[in-house]
Amino acid sequence: MSAIRFVAITTTMARYYQMGGADANGQTPETHVSDGDGVPCRHCLQNVKAGSKYLVLSHRPFPAPQPYAETGPIFLHAEECERYREPAEMPEMFHENDDYILRGYSCQDRIVYGTGGVIGTKEILSRAGQLLRRDDVAYVHMRSARNNCFQCRIEFA
């Protein structure tokens, strides 16, 4: 069985946003101060600590606009942080919620119908592996089960 990796947004993209680059809606990211609860950075895949500044911005985790290229809000540390290193273990911050949405995408960056569902946190590795073994699934998105916000991409290593 192949190892699974949790893929954070690239450092190039994070630095672009941290330097005030326009988000997917053409707006400058908003800056806020974390209360320490529920502010997951999509670059280091750690929660932003209380008192630290973070960005809220619209992100499209796809290479180009198209009908299936969902755009939505994400959080990032306002200051530079180190990108998550992608071991097979699920990032610790994801254990704070009971479930997530997993959804498979094709190599054309289109939703593969029938792959989406709310999955218990303890079943994420198993379900992601099942999806990635399908010939029609190139990668999986992990999203918030409450708000559908993009968390990270999941691939075989």
Side-chain angles (χ1 to χ4, degrees):
M1 183 162 111
S2 298
I4 289 174
R5 65 187 191 135
F6 292 81
V7 183
I9 69 167
T10 66
T11 298
T12 299
M13 181 62 65
R15 297 301 179 257
Y16 170 78
Y17 290 141
Q18 289 164 335
M19 293 173 58
D23 69 8
N25 288 333
Q27 300 171 324
T28 301
E30 297 177 4
T31 302
H32 297 273
V33 176
S34 175
D35 64 3
D37 184 33
V39 183
C41 177
R42 296 336 191 272
H43 181 250
C44 67
L45 300 184
Q46 295 180 30
N47 283 310
V48 178
K49 292 184 169 121
S52 295
K53 290 183 180 179
Y54 68 94
L55 305 176
V56 179
L57 58 109
S58 180
H59 180 66
R60 186 187 66 238
F62 297 91
Q66 42 93 351
Y68 293 91
E70 299 150 298
T71 301
I74 65 166
F75 304 125
L76 284 177
H77 279 99
E79 302 296 325
E80 291 185 6
C81 57
E82 188 174 328
R83 186 171 187 239
Y84 184 70
R85 294 203 180 216
E86 305 176 8
E89 298 86 34
M90 188 164 51
E92 187 61 37
M93 76 173 189
F94 294 142
H95 293 282
E96 295 174 8
N97 292 309
D98 294 332
D99 49 20
Y100 290 88
I101 294 171
L102 293 189
R103 186 179 307 132
Y105 290 83
S106 70
C107 60
Q108 291 85 26
D109 301 305
R110 305 289 174 129
I111 293 170
V112 177
Y113 286 100
T115 61
V118 177
I119 307 299
T121 303
K122 293 177 182 176
E123 305 303 320
I124 287 174
L125 288 173
S126 173
R127 179 62 177 153
Q130 290 172 350
L131 293 173
L132 291 168
R133 282 189 288 281
R134 290 177 52 152
D135 291 337
D136 56 348
V137 173
Y139 59 92
V140 171
H141 275 186
M142 184 168 156
R143 294 176 170 270
S144 163
R146 306 298 171 272
N147 300 306
N148 196 35
C149 297
F150 174 78
Q151 301 294 312
C152 68
R153 180 170 161 150
I154 303 173
E155 307 173 342
F156 276 141

